[in-house]
Amino acid sequence: MIVVVNNSASQEQFDNLVSWIEAQDVKLHFSRGETHTVIGLVGDTTKIDTELLEGLDIVSQVTRVSDPFKNANRKFHPEDTVIEVGNTKIGGGHFALIAGPCSVESEEQIVAVAQAVKAAGATILRGGAFKPRTSPYDFQGLRAEGLALLLTAKKETGLPIITEIMDADHIPLFEDVDIIQVGARNMQNFELLKELGKTKKPILLKRGLANTLKEFLMSAEYVMSEGNENVILCERGIRTFETYTRNTLDISAVPMLKELSHLPVVVDPSHASGVSRLVKPLSLSATAVGADGLMIEVHNNPQYALCDGPQSLTPEQFEDTATAVKKVLAALR
Amino acid sequence: MIVVVNNSASQEQFDNLVSWIEAQDVKLHFSRGETHTVIGLVGDTTKIDTELLEGLDIVSQVTRVSDPFKNANRKFHPEDTVIEVGNTKIGGGHFALIAGPCSVESEEQIVAVAQAVKAAGATILRGGAFKPRTSPYDFQGLRAEGLALLLTAKKETGLPIITEIMDADHIPLFEDVDIIQVGARNMQNFELLKELGKTKKPILLKRGLANTLKEFLMSAEYVMSEGNENVILCERGIRTFETYTRNTLDISAVPMLKELSHLPVVVDPSHASGVSRLVKPLSLSATAVGADGLMIEVHNNPQYALCDGPQSLTPEQFEDTATAVKKVLAALR
Amino acid sequence: MIVVVNNSASQEQFDNLVSWIEAQDVKLHFSRGETHTVIGLVGDTTKIDTELLEGLDIVSQVTRVSDPFKNANRKFHPEDTVIEVGNTKIGGGHFALIAGPCSVESEEQIVAVAQAVKAAGATILRGGAFKPRTSPYDFQGLRAEGLALLLTAKKETGLPIITEIMDADHIPLFEDVDIIQVGARNMQNFELLKELGKTKKPILLKRGLANTLKEFLMSAEYVMSEGNENVILCERGIRTFETYTRNTLDISAVPMLKELSHLPVVVDPSHASGVSRLVKPLSLSATAVGADGLMIEVHNNPQYALCDGPQSLTPEQFEDTATAVKKVLAALR
Amino acid sequence: MIVVVNNSASQEQFDNLVSWIEAQDVKLHFSRGETHTVIGLVGDTTKIDTELLEGLDIVSQVTRVSDPFKNANRKFHPEDTVIEVGNTKIGGGHFALIAGPCSVESEEQIVAVAQAVKAAGATILRGGAFKPRTSPYDFQGLRAEGLALLLTAKKETGLPIITEIMDADHIPLFEDVDIIQVGARNMQNFELLKELGKTKKPILLKRGLANTLKEFLMSAEYVMSEGNENVILCERGIRTFETYTRNTLDISAVPMLKELSHLPVVVDPSHASGVSRLVKPLSLSATAVGADGLMIEVHNNPQYALCDGPQSLTPEQFEDTATAVKKVLAALR
């Protein structure tokens, strides 16, 4: 870490700062210039709060040389993390194809979709039971009943299931769920992350709409620092000025996250675009860029289209997409 | 609400859509063009899920004419909401000056700051007990102990207190808190909002870093739809590409929110800029634009500056700011 | 186009609006609701200025149903535009591999890079002569001399060349250039676009840092409306809050632009990321998503690395990338 | 400037870097840590291209301690720049009230608006002759004829005039214009900036839609480095995700720019919001935050409202705003 101090600081201010830093168990190097003095901090600076330093009038800049995340950091864990779910794996060369409806609506619906996506090559079933909606007047999901229907679909097809949690109090309900999803709006719900860190469940953590990669990895760190190393990162689009697509898929985040961290990275092209016509090209794009998997919305019944989002594929479209994804995977192997 | 349908839709698709809309208890008007047919929906469209409609292939656009928020909407509640806290009021011409430290650190600190800000004109004391921090390794606040110290400061000074909640399970701890704050990161923690809606406590809701005004008002609606009408909106800066300031204060949000809603709107210039030198000019700016109050970070002890954020004022700076704010308020009356 | 009028408008205001719209040579349909009247405009609305309508107090919303761009619009020109440059083509299934250094530095350098990228599969040579730099103190390019060196490299290798223009006065200098590039900062330099529209040269138009796809296509329209239909669109990253990459590659823009327009779309992964390590994965990603070509920065001489950007590949890295790109192209055929 | 080098660099790479830096006429300080070596550069680093350094594989970070702008920098020019135009001044405590129509439409219109805004307290007349429009099909301004009409209004009222330039070739036409405006879309049209730098005219430079304050000041530097020190900075809103307002007024930019630079800073509340109802509150806000002036759109004739933007005030609304602005100015003196 580098701290740049204005030479206009009084000797007393400077000495106070130096003693405070020394108390953090790091070594200091000084480089005095005409207008500024640069202090280099050597040692474990993970726990030094840069905001506090930046707040001092005499400090003009603070720059981290090393990353503030540790458990998630590839530097300290060079091999890819591989997460096992049922008899499928994610990461380290294992590609996950997660598919299913936005919301679980009925046993008939979820079982039919589960069978269709399994036939088309999906390895994990997704489906929403607890639904975070912008409006309190919109459908909030079948909640506990939806979880029960997902478990039925799991039994019928053998597919492991993933579904979203919205409150730490609900953790007991997720006992038979294979992967617990934390949605974008809860990426910095730190109390929830800590509680999930106390379980051993794989956690799929979605990137917040306006969160940097560093914040994203710090949220993974919240789960991991409590002892749960089974975190899957999910890029699902960020908020920008562009309005043709609902969000802007940050495709560069995939190779960047895989460089910074050993955790698997999957992409959700359905939420990233909000447009079903873009799901196939974005799936191919994410596969080619090096993602460890895809999470795709699929609905089964054209006449129910009104209740599926604008971003859902039919099972036929999903099969077509899955086939093309496999071609890209094969070409790059 | 206006739904624009492509004329390439089959008669059956078109009829299905029309019957679905009719089932929502609204009247329909049709206007048929060469390439598109425009359907006007008249009646209560609040509960119609626009995303579902947009998802249909045959629909090319959906536009809301009326707002999706009801309880928070000024159209249905033209007079300003005035919220009473202790013997002070917020809204409808009553200006609130909320001040205090980022974190409660000790009894000595919080009582001293409380006395200093009261003397300088503050009407409400703020102080963080539960602290949402990006890193799990940063100081997380004194939590329950911090709440107890705030209550001591309240008793000593008579100032009502406001502090942040991070989890619905903590609500019982907030019984003697006067205003419960929901932080920016939890603006769309819908489970928390619903639980707070079941209390009668005033809720200060901060705008999320990347949330639109519409989403902001929909989150207020979550609290209000459960029966709690005491919501204060707080603009605290949004995330943009600019990096000189931590966030970008969206000053236009204040008059826009006051036009859309009857709820009081306060501004937090400390978090909006992250730079203490900007707190005074931004406070004046927010006062002149028509805010119903300010929430300002103040620390008491220069030698503890390291533990206060870069954005805190000293009590003297706060007094200077408060004096200037009152001049602007008087000039515009 | 749909215009939503408040019913609070006086009869006179309403009649004035209606006569103004009728004067624009379009037909009107009315749909009167309780609080608003919806006017549907049928006919050629391309030349109606929506901002003027939105400015009226009595108008609460204006929505375009049809696009404001015409020449660039795929609806009026369903087949892909194919642009011929020398003996190579771009668009309609023809993939362009454009490569070369950020700046032309010397004859030795540009000829060596040109030979190297040609050997590795490049079909067009890029190189900067006029360089737009944020700082007036940074290297501004060799300007006219740089153009001359590029022409030498063209003669030596037979590769067509592309280079950036910064002012309409320089057009005569570009007579032997094959494709004229308009940089992101000049995307809305309308005087320049109009002058380029009067030439017959292929124009590669880069998307502005913060411009929407609609604005991007409107800028293409500026060139095309003057008679030059040879426009190539180039996505090169947009400005967002994320700072790990210099810009955020908007990969969804590629399929979206190709849906909206018949013009070829290429991707510049070098500027989009600003990080050479990301150029290969982003190139694969852009190929898989359906781009019509790539524009990649390549430098030839490691010891000159200081003068090449952080985003440049060596010829060996470029060859490796080109090989992988061809595998993805083959897999998806 | 601080350059952080990975210790994985070979001795040869490191030595090459060091000799390159030394050749830039700066002194070096070294601070060697376990994983990185920090090099401090002391001296005039204005002309060192940070992007080149960041591009090196062995460099992990480059941080400027001093600003890259010089002529615009308050550090080297502590007193406020005051710009004289006719018998009015801008900056250093002199507040400018610039008002007039978006477009010059006719002699009758521009003279009437000029007289009205003068009566209401305006000190400078604005009016568009060359209009940058997103669409080639929208009204492009009266161009040279518009300039002539502005000069008539200047003669009639004695008000100095400001109007926008779009191309360096037009400079001779602007000989009798008092202040030349560079629009947001041309903020990085460097060839235009350089040519304007060769004149002695005051230049009002608008911030680009997505440009940082640093880039904004570097564009001012382009003008100043050619010898023209008469630059006025204009904040006019930036592009964000929010859509209720056309742009987001970055009010914090005003005090920040005034801290970084000695140049006057004015605010354009009309373009910043795009909504006439917000012009008064935003004008008060900009005045309170410390701006050196305002630039406000005013149209004169309600029946011509269709041709004025949604953001224009009537002369009566302008007078009301000007009166309130003066009250805020007086309160803060």
Side-chain angles (χ1 to χ4, degrees):
Chain A
M1 187 181 288
I2 297 162
V3 179
V4 181
V5 185
N6 290 329
N7 286 351
S8 62
S10 72
Q11 190 61 41
E12 194 196 338
Q13 289 176 307
F14 190 83
D15 292 345
N16 278 345
L17 175 64
V18 167
S19 8
W20 185 86
I21 297 176
E22 284 174 341
Q24 313 296 313
D25 263 333
V26 291
K27 283 191 205 152
L28 280 73
H29 288 251
F30 298 91
S31 160
R32 186 167 282 267
E34 258 168 276
T35 56
H36 296 87
T37 297
V38 175
I39 311 181
L41 278 60
V42 180
D44 178 8
T45 60
T46 317
K47 296 181 187 184
I48 294 185
D49 195 336
T50 54
E51 289 186 13
L52 299 191
L53 285 169
E54 279 166 357
L56 292 176
D57 277 352
I58 62 169
V59 169
S60 67
Q61 267 182 326
V62 180
T63 311
R64 274 198 183 280
V65 174
S66 53
D67 306 310
F69 44 96
K70 242 181 164 166
N71 291 295
N73 202 324
R74 192 179 278 278
K75 280 180 199 151
F76 309 122
H77 186 311
E79 339 68 66
D80 287 344
T81 281
V82 179
I83 290 177
E84 291 205 41
V85 188
N87 47 18
T88 191
K89 292 178 182 172
I90 309 176
H94 302 274
F95 193 87
L97 210 44
I98 308 171
C102 177
S103 292
V104 178
E105 292 165 29
S106 67
E107 181 175 328
E108 194 188 6
Q109 172 240 20
I110 188 66
V111 172
V113 176
Q115 286 166 336
V117 299
K118 187 184 180 187
T123 54
I124 299 171
L125 175 67
R126 59 148 288 157
F130 292 87
K131 300 294 303 170
R133 302 302 303 269
T134 302
S135 166
Y137 309 121
D138 286 347
F139 176 53
Q140 310 272 318
L142 293 181
R143 302 176 68 95
E145 189 194 335
L147 284 184
L149 297 178
L150 268 175
L151 292 173
T152 304
K154 176 183 175 178
K155 202 190 279 176
E156 293 285 329
T157 58
L159 288 178
I161 57 175
I162 174 171
T163 192
E164 181 168 350
I165 196 165
M166 288 174 65
D167 195 284
D169 284 354
H170 301 155
I171 292 178
L173 291 171
F174 284 67
E175 207 178 324
D176 296 321
V177 167
D178 299 280
I179 307 178
I180 301 180
Q181 175 178 322
V182 176
R185 295 180 183 86
N186 279 314
M187 192 201 90
Q188 293 194 316
N189 182 339
F190 301 125
E191 300 294 311
L192 174 60
L193 297 177
K194 283 187 213 169
E195 292 306 314
L196 292 172
K198 292 172 189 157
T199 73
K200 292 285 161 230
K201 288 273 178 219
I203 306 299
L204 182 138
L205 180 65
K206 287 196 155 189
R207 180 181 182 185
L209 263 183
N211 288 108
T212 61
L213 297 187
K214 190 178 125 186
E215 289 168 342
F216 191 15
L217 290 168
M218 290 312 295
S219 284
E221 197 77 13
Y222 258 98
V223 177
M224 299 174 86
S225 69
E226 296 286 340
N228 184 352
E229 304 260 326
N230 297 309
V231 179
I232 302 161
L233 303 170
C234 179
E235 160 64 30
R236 43 79 74 213
I238 58 174
R239 184 161 273 182
T240 69
F241 61 85
E242 180 59 72
T243 53
Y244 262 114
T245 44
R246 192 177 313 162
N247 301 296
T248 298
L249 178 61
D250 181 6
I251 197 78
S252 316
V254 179
M256 196 48 100
L257 285 169
K258 291 186 71 68
E259 177 177 313
L260 294 167
S261 176
H262 51 88
L263 297 173
V265 180
V266 305
V267 168
D268 176 345
S270 304
H271 283 87
S273 65
V275 181
S276 67
R277 301 184 307 278
L278 294 189
V279 171
K280 183 180 174 183
L282 293 182
S283 294
L284 297 178
S285 165
T287 305
V289 93
D292 296 300
L294 295 166
M295 181 146 84
I296 296 178
E297 281 194 14
V298 178
H299 67 70
N300 63 329
N301 206 330
Q303 73 241 38
Y304 281 103
L306 265 175
C307 301
D308 285 296
Q311 63 218 17
S312 290
L313 301 187
T314 61
E316 293 70 36
Q317 290 169 328
F318 173 68
E319 190 175 3
D320 174 51
T321 299
T323 305
V325 162
K326 283 170 202 160
K327 282 185 193 164
V328 171
L329 279 176
L332 294 173
R333 224 147 241 171
Chain B
M1 186 181 290
I2 298 163
V3 179
V4 181
V5 186
N6 291 328
N7 285 351
S8 61
S10 72
Q11 191 60 40
E12 192 197 340
Q13 288 177 307
F14 190 83
D15 292 345
N16 278 345
L17 174 63
V18 168
S19 10
W20 186 85
I21 298 176
E22 283 175 341
Q24 313 296 312
D25 263 332
V26 292
K27 284 192 202 150
L28 281 72
H29 288 252
F30 297 90
S31 161
R32 186 167 282 267
E34 257 168 276
T35 56
H36 296 87
T37 296
V38 176
I39 311 181
L41 279 60
V42 180
D44 178 8
T45 59
T46 318
K47 298 183 185 183
I48 295 185
D49 195 335
T50 54
E51 289 186 13
L52 299 191
L53 285 169
E54 279 166 356
L56 292 175
D57 278 353
I58 62 168
V59 169
S60 68
Q61 266 183 327
V62 180
T63 311
R64 273 199 184 279
V65 174
S66 53
D67 305 311
F69 45 96
K70 239 181 167 165
N71 292 294
N73 202 324
R74 192 180 277 279
K75 280 180 199 151
F76 309 123
H77 186 311
E79 338 70 64
D80 286 344
T81 282
V82 179
I83 291 176
E84 291 205 42
V85 189
N87 47 17
T88 191
K89 292 177 180 172
I90 309 175
H94 302 275
F95 193 87
L97 210 44
I98 308 170
C102 178
S103 293
V104 178
E105 291 165 29
S106 67
E107 182 175 326
E108 195 189 4
Q109 173 241 19
I110 188 67
V111 172
V113 175
Q115 287 166 337
V117 299
K118 188 185 179 186
T123 54
I124 298 171
L125 175 67
R126 59 148 288 157
F130 291 88
K131 301 294 305 169
R133 302 303 304 270
T134 303
S135 165
Y137 309 122
D138 286 346
F139 176 53
Q140 309 272 317
L142 293 182
R143 302 175 67 96
E145 190 196 334
L147 283 183
L149 297 177
L150 267 175
L151 292 172
T152 305
K154 176 183 176 178
K155 202 191 279 176
E156 293 286 328
T157 58
L159 287 177
I161 57 174
I162 174 172
T163 192
E164 180 168 352
I165 197 166
M166 287 173 67
D167 195 284
D169 284 354
H170 301 156
I171 290 178
L173 292 171
F174 284 67
E175 204 176 327
D176 296 320
V177 167
D178 298 281
I179 307 178
I180 301 180
Q181 174 178 322
V182 176
R185 293 180 183 86
N186 279 314
M187 193 202 89
Q188 293 194 316
N189 182 339
F190 301 125
E191 301 292 312
L192 175 59
L193 296 178
K194 283 188 213 167
E195 291 306 314
L196 291 171
K198 292 172 189 158
T199 73
K200 291 285 162 231
K201 288 272 179 221
I203 305 299
L204 183 138
L205 180 65
K206 288 196 155 189
R207 180 180 182 185
L209 263 183
N211 287 110
T212 62
L213 298 186
K214 190 177 126 187
E215 289 167 342
F216 191 14
L217 289 168
M218 291 313 295
S219 284
E221 196 78 13
Y222 259 97
V223 177
M224 299 174 86
S225 67
E226 296 286 339
N228 185 352
E229 303 261 325
N230 298 308
V231 178
I232 302 162
L233 304 170
C234 179
E235 161 63 30
R236 42 80 72 214
I238 57 173
R239 185 160 272 183
T240 68
F241 61 83
E242 180 58 73
T243 53
Y244 262 113
T245 45
R246 191 175 314 160
N247 302 297
T248 297
L249 178 60
D250 181 5
I251 196 77
S252 317
V254 179
M256 197 46 103
L257 285 170
K258 291 187 71 68
E259 176 178 312
L260 294 167
S261 175
H262 51 88
L263 297 173
V265 180
V266 305
V267 168
D268 176 345
S270 305
H271 283 87
S273 64
V275 181
S276 66
R277 301 184 308 278
L278 293 189
V279 171
K280 184 181 172 182
L282 293 182
S283 294
L284 298 178
S285 164
T287 305
V289 93
D292 296 299
L294 294 167
M295 181 146 83
I296 296 178
E297 282 194 13
V298 178
H299 67 72
N300 63 329
N301 206 329
Q303 73 241 37
Y304 281 102
L306 265 173
C307 301
D308 285 295
Q311 64 218 16
S312 289
L313 301 188
T314 61
E316 293 70 35
Q317 291 169 327
F318 174 67
E319 191 177 359
D320 174 52
T321 298
T323 306
V325 161
K326 282 170 203 161
K327 283 186 193 163
V328 171
L329 277 176
L332 293 174
R333 224 149 241 169
Chain C
M1 187 181 292
I2 298 163
V3 179
V4 181
V5 186
N6 290 329
N7 285 351
S8 62
S10 73
Q11 190 61 42
E12 194 196 339
Q13 288 176 308
F14 190 83
D15 292 345
N16 279 345
L17 174 63
V18 167
S19 10
W20 186 85
I21 298 176
E22 284 175 340
Q24 313 298 312
D25 263 334
V26 290
K27 282 191 203 151
L28 279 72
H29 288 253
F30 298 90
S31 158
R32 187 167 280 266
E34 257 168 276
T35 57
H36 296 89
T37 297
V38 176
I39 311 182
L41 279 60
V42 180
D44 178 8
T45 60
T46 317
K47 296 182 187 184
I48 295 185
D49 195 334
T50 55
E51 289 186 13
L52 299 190
L53 285 170
E54 279 167 357
L56 292 176
D57 277 351
I58 61 168
V59 170
S60 67
Q61 267 182 325
V62 181
T63 310
R64 274 199 184 279
V65 174
S66 52
D67 305 311
F69 45 95
K70 240 181 164 163
N71 291 296
N73 201 324
R74 192 180 278 277
K75 280 180 199 150
F76 309 123
H77 186 311
E79 337 68 66
D80 287 345
T81 282
V82 179
I83 291 176
E84 292 205 41
V85 189
N87 47 18
T88 190
K89 293 177 182 174
I90 309 176
H94 302 273
F95 193 87
L97 210 43
I98 308 170
C102 176
S103 293
V104 178
E105 290 165 30
S106 67
E107 181 174 329
E108 194 188 6
Q109 173 241 19
I110 189 65
V111 172
V113 175
Q115 287 166 337
V117 298
K118 187 183 182 189
T123 54
I124 299 170
L125 175 67
R126 58 149 289 157
F130 292 87
K131 299 295 303 170
R133 302 302 304 268
T134 303
S135 166
Y137 309 122
D138 287 346
F139 176 54
Q140 310 273 318
L142 293 180
R143 301 175 67 96
E145 189 195 336
L147 282 183
L149 297 178
L150 267 175
L151 292 172
T152 306
K154 176 182 175 177
K155 201 189 278 174
E156 294 286 328
T157 58
L159 286 178
I161 58 174
I162 173 171
T163 191
E164 180 168 351
I165 197 166
M166 287 174 65
D167 195 283
D169 284 353
H170 301 155
I171 291 178
L173 292 172
F174 284 67
E175 205 177 326
D176 296 320
V177 167
D178 298 279
I179 307 178
I180 301 181
Q181 176 178 321
V182 176
R185 294 180 184 86
N186 279 315
M187 192 202 90
Q188 293 193 316
N189 183 339
F190 301 125
E191 300 294 312
L192 175 59
L193 296 178
K194 284 187 213 167
E195 292 307 313
L196 291 171
K198 292 172 189 158
T199 73
K200 292 286 162 233
K201 287 273 178 219
I203 306 299
L204 183 137
L205 180 64
K206 287 196 156 190
R207 181 181 181 185
L209 263 183
N211 288 109
T212 60
L213 298 186
K214 190 178 126 185
E215 290 168 343
F216 191 15
L217 289 168
M218 290 313 295
S219 284
E221 196 77 14
Y222 259 98
V223 177
M224 297 174 87
S225 68
E226 296 286 340
N228 185 352
E229 304 260 326
N230 297 309
V231 178
I232 302 162
L233 304 170
C234 180
E235 160 63 31
R236 44 78 73 214
I238 58 174
R239 184 160 273 183
T240 68
F241 61 85
E242 181 58 70
T243 53
Y244 262 113
T245 44
R246 192 177 312 162
N247 301 297
T248 297
L249 177 61
D250 181 6
I251 196 79
S252 317
V254 179
M256 195 48 100
L257 285 169
K258 291 187 71 68
E259 177 177 313
L260 294 166
S261 175
H262 51 87
L263 297 173
V265 180
V266 305
V267 168
D268 176 344
S270 304
H271 284 86
S273 64
V275 180
S276 66
R277 301 184 307 279
L278 293 189
V279 171
K280 182 180 174 184
L282 293 182
S283 294
L284 297 178
S285 165
T287 305
V289 93
D292 295 301
L294 294 167
M295 181 145 84
I296 296 178
E297 282 194 14
V298 178
H299 68 71
N300 63 329
N301 206 329
Q303 75 241 36
Y304 281 104
L306 264 174
C307 301
D308 285 297
Q311 65 219 15
S312 290
L313 301 187
T314 61
E316 293 71 35
Q317 290 168 328
F318 173 68
E319 190 176 2
D320 173 52
T321 299
T323 306
V325 162
K326 283 170 202 159
K327 282 185 194 165
V328 171
L329 279 175
L332 293 173
R333 225 147 239 169
Chain D
M1 187 181 289
I2 298 163
V3 179
V4 181
V5 186
N6 291 329
N7 285 351
S8 61
S10 72
Q11 191 59 42
E12 193 195 339
Q13 287 176 307
F14 190 83
D15 292 345
N16 278 344
L17 174 64
V18 168
S19 8
W20 186 85
I21 297 176
E22 283 175 342
Q24 313 295 313
D25 262 333
V26 291
K27 283 192 203 150
L28 281 72
H29 288 252
F30 298 90
S31 161
R32 186 167 281 267
E34 259 168 275
T35 57
H36 296 88
T37 296
V38 176
I39 310 181
L41 278 62
V42 180
D44 179 8
T45 59
T46 317
K47 298 183 185 184
I48 295 185
D49 194 334
T50 54
E51 289 186 14
L52 299 191
L53 285 169
E54 278 166 357
L56 292 176
D57 278 351
I58 62 169
V59 170
S60 66
Q61 266 182 328
V62 181
T63 310
R64 272 197 186 282
V65 174
S66 53
D67 306 311
F69 45 96
K70 240 180 166 166
N71 292 294
N73 201 324
R74 193 180 277 278
K75 279 180 200 151
F76 309 122
H77 186 311
E79 338 68 67
D80 286 345
T81 281
V82 179
I83 291 177
E84 291 205 40
V85 188
N87 47 17
T88 191
K89 292 176 181 173
I90 309 176
H94 302 275
F95 193 88
L97 210 42
I98 308 170
C102 177
S103 292
V104 178
E105 291 165 28
S106 67
E107 182 175 326
E108 193 189 8
Q109 172 240 20
I110 188 67
V111 172
V113 175
Q115 287 166 336
V117 299
K118 188 185 180 189
T123 54
I124 299 171
L125 175 67
R126 58 149 289 157
F130 292 87
K131 300 294 304 169
R133 302 302 304 268
T134 303
S135 165
Y137 308 121
D138 287 345
F139 176 54
Q140 310 272 317
L142 293 181
R143 301 174 69 94
E145 189 196 334
L147 282 183
L149 297 178
L150 267 175
L151 291 172
T152 305
K154 176 183 175 177
K155 202 189 279 173
E156 294 285 329
T157 59
L159 287 177
I161 57 173
I162 174 172
T163 192
E164 181 168 352
I165 197 166
M166 287 174 66
D167 195 284
D169 283 354
H170 302 154
I171 291 178
L173 293 171
F174 284 68
E175 204 176 328
D176 297 320
V177 167
D178 299 280
I179 307 178
I180 301 180
Q181 174 178 322
V182 177
R185 293 181 183 85
N186 278 315
M187 193 202 90
Q188 293 193 315
N189 183 338
F190 301 125
E191 300 292 314
L192 174 60
L193 296 178
K194 283 187 213 168
E195 292 306 313
L196 292 171
K198 292 172 190 158
T199 74
K200 291 286 161 230
K201 287 274 179 220
I203 307 298
L204 182 137
L205 180 64
K206 288 197 154 190
R207 179 181 182 186
L209 262 183
N211 288 109
T212 62
L213 298 186
K214 191 178 126 185
E215 288 167 343
F216 191 15
L217 290 168
M218 291 312 296
S219 284
E221 197 77 14
Y222 258 99
V223 177
M224 299 174 86
S225 68
E226 296 286 340
N228 184 352
E229 304 261 326
N230 298 309
V231 178
I232 302 162
L233 303 171
C234 179
E235 161 63 31
R236 42 80 71 214
I238 57 174
R239 185 159 271 183
T240 68
F241 61 84
E242 180 58 73
T243 53
Y244 262 113
T245 44
R246 191 175 314 160
N247 301 297
T248 298
L249 177 61
D250 181 5
I251 197 77
S252 317
V254 179
M256 196 48 102
L257 285 169
K258 291 187 71 68
E259 176 178 312
L260 294 167
S261 175
H262 51 88
L263 298 172
V265 180
V266 306
V267 168
D268 176 345
S270 305
H271 284 86
S273 64
V275 181
S276 67
R277 301 184 308 278
L278 293 189
V279 171
K280 183 181 173 183
L282 294 182
S283 294
L284 299 178
S285 165
T287 306
V289 92
D292 295 301
L294 294 167
M295 181 145 84
I296 296 178
E297 283 194 12
V298 179
H299 67 71
N300 62 330
N301 206 330
Q303 73 241 38
Y304 281 103
L306 265 174
C307 301
D308 285 295
Q311 65 217 16
S312 289
L313 300 188
T314 62
E316 294 70 34
Q317 291 169 327
F318 174 67
E319 191 176 2
D320 174 52
T321 299
T323 306
V325 161
K326 283 169 202 160
K327 283 186 193 165
V328 171
L329 277 176
L332 293 174
R333 226 148 239 168

